[in-house]
C-alpha cells in the first residue's frame, strides 16, 4: 500500500467515500472519479494556509459522512450509485520544494488519467494547476484539452519574487510548455488591479479569452458560458476545469489567500460548475485556494465542498443522460414526477 493518507490531520475521505491507493489501479478499478489531495502552498504570494484546504473541503458538511448525497434537483447520487468516486488521500508534498512537489502531483495525475478515471484534485494553492493540467495532457495529448479557469486573477505572471513557479504563474507555464493552447484557455471572473499591461499584452498574443467581471455583469454569466463552451470545444477533445475559490466575492469566500471584492456569488459559481460538468467532456478538475486559517464560520470550506459536489453531480447527470438518451432541464420543478404513484 503506497497510500499516504492525510498529510495534515486525520485520514478521512470526501464525505465518507471509499479509500483507494492512487498507485494501485486495482483499488479503483470500478471508479469514474478519484479524488486526490495536493496540500501545497509553497507558491503563495500573500496569505498562506491552503495546505489545509484538502481536509477542509473533504470534511465540512453538516450531513453524515456516509458516502451518499442524492442531489435534490438533478436526481442523481454523485457519490453512488450514479457515479463511482474514490478518495486516494493526500500526496506527500513539501511546500519548500516547488519543483519536486509539482513533479509528484503531475506523475500521480498522469497515472490516474492513464487508468481511465477523472482526477479531481483538492488544493493547495493555484501552483498545483500547472502539474494537474500537465498530468492530464500527458494522457490525453498536449494541446488536446481546453481549460476553463474560474479566478479573480489571471495567474499568467512570468517571474515573481525571482521565481518562475508560484500561484501567480501556472497558466503561463502551461501555455509556454504546449500542454494547453493559449487560444483554448478560457478565464472567467477576473477583476482587481493585476496583472500589469505587459502581461495582458502577452495574454492577448496567446489568443486567450479572459472574461472580466464587468463583461460578465454586462452580458450575463449564461451568455459568457455559451461563448466559452463554443471556444473550448473547437478543436479540443476534452476540458479541464480549474476553480480558484477567490473567483467568488470575499463575502462568499473569505478564507483565501488573495481576496478581491466584486466577484461571483456562490450561487453563480455552483450553477456554472454544474452546467459545465453536465454539458462538457470534463477529464480533470481542481479546486484550489481554500485557506482555512482565514475562513470564518467555515464559509469558504463549505463552498469548496459544494463546488466538488456540484461537479460530481453534473458528471453523474451527464452519464445518466447519455445512458438514457435524455437531456436534463434545469427548470424542472423539484417535485415534478415524484410521489408514490409516479416514478422518475
Amino acid at each position: 500500500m503506497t497510500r499516504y493518507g492525510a498529510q495534515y490531520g486525520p485520514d478521512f475521505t470526501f464525505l465518507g467515500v471509499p479509500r483507494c491507493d492512487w498507485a494501485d489501479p486495482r483499488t479503483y478499478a470500478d471508479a469514474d472519479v478519484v479524488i486526490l489531495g495536493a496540500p501545497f502552498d509553497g507558491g503563495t504570494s500573500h496569505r498562506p494556509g491552503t495546505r489545509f484546504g484538502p481536509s477542509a473541503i473533504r470534511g465540512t458538511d453538516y450531513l453524515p459522512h456516509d458516502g451518499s448525497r442524492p442531489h435534490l434537483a438533478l436526481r442523481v447520487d454523485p457519490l453512488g450509485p450514479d457515479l463511482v468516486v474514490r478518495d486516494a488521500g493526500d500526496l506527500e508534498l513539501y511546500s519548500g520544494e516547488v519543483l519536486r512537489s509539482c513533479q509528484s502531483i503531475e506523475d500521480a495525475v498522469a497515472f490516474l488519467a492513464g487508468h481511465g478515471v477523472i482526477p479531481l484534485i483538492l488544493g493547495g494553492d493555484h501552483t498545483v494547476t500547472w502539474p494537474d493540467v500537465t498530468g492530464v495532457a500527458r494522457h490525453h495529448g498536449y494541446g488536446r484539452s481546453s481549460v476553463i479557469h474560474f479566478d479573480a486573477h489571471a495567474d499568467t505572471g512570468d517571474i515573481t519574487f525571482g521565481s518562475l513557479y508560484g500561484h501567480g504563474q501556472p497558466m503561463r507555464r502551461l501555455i509556454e510548455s504546449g500542454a494547453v493552447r493559449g487560444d483554448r484557455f478560457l478565464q472567467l471572473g477576473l477583476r482587481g488591479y493585476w496583472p500589469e499591461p505587459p502581461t495582458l499584452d502577452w495574454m492577448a498574443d496567446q489568443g486567450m479569452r479572459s472574461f472580466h467581471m464587468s463583461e460578465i455583469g454586462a452580458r450575463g454569466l449564461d451568455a459568457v458560458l455559451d461563448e466559452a463552451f463554443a471556444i473550448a470545444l473547437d478543436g479540443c477533445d476534452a476540458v479541464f476545469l480549474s476553480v480558484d475559490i477567490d473567483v467568488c466575492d470575499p463575502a462568499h469566500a473569505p478564507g483565501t489567500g488573495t481576496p478581491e471584492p466584486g466577484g461571483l456569488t456562490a450561487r453563480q459559481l455552483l450553477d456554472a460548475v454544474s452546467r459545465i460538468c453536465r454539458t462538457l467532456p470534463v477529464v480533470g478538475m481542481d479546486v484550489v485556494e481554500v485557506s482555512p486559517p482565514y475562513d470564518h464560520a467555515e464559509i469558504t470550506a463549505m463552498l469548496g465542498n459544494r463546488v466538488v459536489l456540484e461537479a460530481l453531480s453534473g458528471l453523474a447527470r451527464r452519464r445518466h443522460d447519455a445512458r438514457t438518451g435524455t437531456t436534463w432541464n434545469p427548470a424542472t420543478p423539484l417535485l415534478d414526477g415524484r410521489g408514490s404513484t409516479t416514478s422518475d
Side-chain angles (χ1 to χ4, degrees), residues 152-158 168 172 187 190-203 208 210 212:
H153 311 98
D155 293 352
T156 50
D158 190 11
R172 183 181 286 240
Q187 301 183 306
L190 303 189
R191 59 192 188 277
Y193 301 89
W194 182 90
E196 65 291 329
T199 299
L200 295 173
D201 291 342
W202 180 88
M203 292 163 61
M208 299 179 70
S210 301
H212 191 272

Side-chain angles (χ1 to χ4, degrees), residues 18-33:
R19 289 171 168 79
C20 74
D21 178 356
W22 71 264
D24 185 355
R26 296 170 298 179
T27 65
Y28 52 89
D30 60 340
D32 302 302
V33 177

Side-chain angles (χ1 to χ4, degrees), residues 30-70:
D30 60 340
D32 302 302
V33 177
V34 170
I35 294 172
L36 183 68
F40 176 85
D41 61 5
T44 304
S45 60
H46 187 44
R47 306 192 307 196
T50 59
R51 68 182 65 186
F52 306 115
S55 290
I57 295 169
R58 283 186 174 102
T60 305
D61 197 324
Y62 57 86
L63 294 171
H65 289 203
D66 56 2
S68 178
R69 282 298 182 277

Side-chain angles (χ1 to χ4, degrees), residues 259-296:
E260 183 63 56
L264 296 178
T265 66
R267 181 72 266 158
Q268 286 177 305
L269 177 59
L270 294 176
D271 286 346
V273 167
S274 177
R275 182 181 168 191
I276 289 166
C277 292
R278 291 197 318 268
T279 307
L280 301 179
V282 173
V283 296
M285 177 181 174
D286 59 29
V287 180
V288 301
E289 297 290 354
V290 173
S291 184
Y294 292 95
D295 210 359
H296 174 72

Side-chain angles (χ1 to χ4, degrees), residues 118 146-148 150 186 225-226 228-234 237-241 272-284 311 314-315 318-319:
I118 296 173
S146 59
V147 172
I148 297 181
F150 286 87
L186 296 310
L225 288 173
D226 288 342
F229 288 10
I231 297 171
L233 295 179
D234 182 7
D237 307 313
V239 173
F240 189 98
L241 172 61
V273 167
S274 177
R275 182 181 168 191
I276 289 166
C277 292
R278 291 197 318 268
T279 307
L280 301 179
V282 173
V283 296
L315 293 171
R318 177 178 171 85
R319 292 178 183 234

